[in-house]
Amino acid sequence: MAELLSLFPEDKPESDLPVEQATSAPQEQSLFPDEVKFNQSVQQGVATPPDKAARVLKMQYKTGLPVGLIERNLDQVEEDA
């Protein structure tokens, strides 16, 4: 039986085998293996105003510069672009 990945690792699939025949419990897996980085990304996204995020994304597409560099120097990047 193929192993299923879940966005909700606490939802474990039912085994086809009776409990007494099951050899081991399935390992928990998530589509977000590094939960700490995921949570940090979510918090950063919530803290960034939507208009600033749109300006950064526009400049990233236009210039190809890294997002972090643009965020720190947004006004200057916009002037130079």
Side-chain angles (χ1 to χ4, degrees):
M1 184 160 96
E3 187 173 337
L4 298 174
L5 293 179
S6 172
L7 290 173
F8 309 99
E10 63 276 358
D11 294 342
K12 295 181 181 176
E14 296 286 327
S15 173
D16 292 339
L17 300 174
V19 175
E20 61 272 5
Q21 291 182 5
T23 57
S24 65
Q27 293 182 353
E28 252 183 46
Q29 289 192 357
S30 172
L31 293 176
F32 307 109
D34 191 345
E35 202 168 311
V36 173
K37 284 185 180 179
F38 174 74
N39 289 335
Q40 289 173 344
S41 296
V42 170
Q43 291 303 319
Q44 181 181 2
V46 171
T48 303
D51 60 325
K52 182 177 179 182
R55 290 171 54 205
V56 169
L57 185 60
K58 182 179 178 182
M59 288 296 103
Q60 200 276 329
Y61 284 143
K62 189 172 185 178
T63 64
L65 293 171
V67 172
L69 177 75
I70 296 170
E71 286 176 333
R72 291 187 302 273
N73 305 289
L74 182 57
D75 293 329
Q76 185 65 40
V77 171
E78 286 177 328
E79 287 177 21
D80 294 344

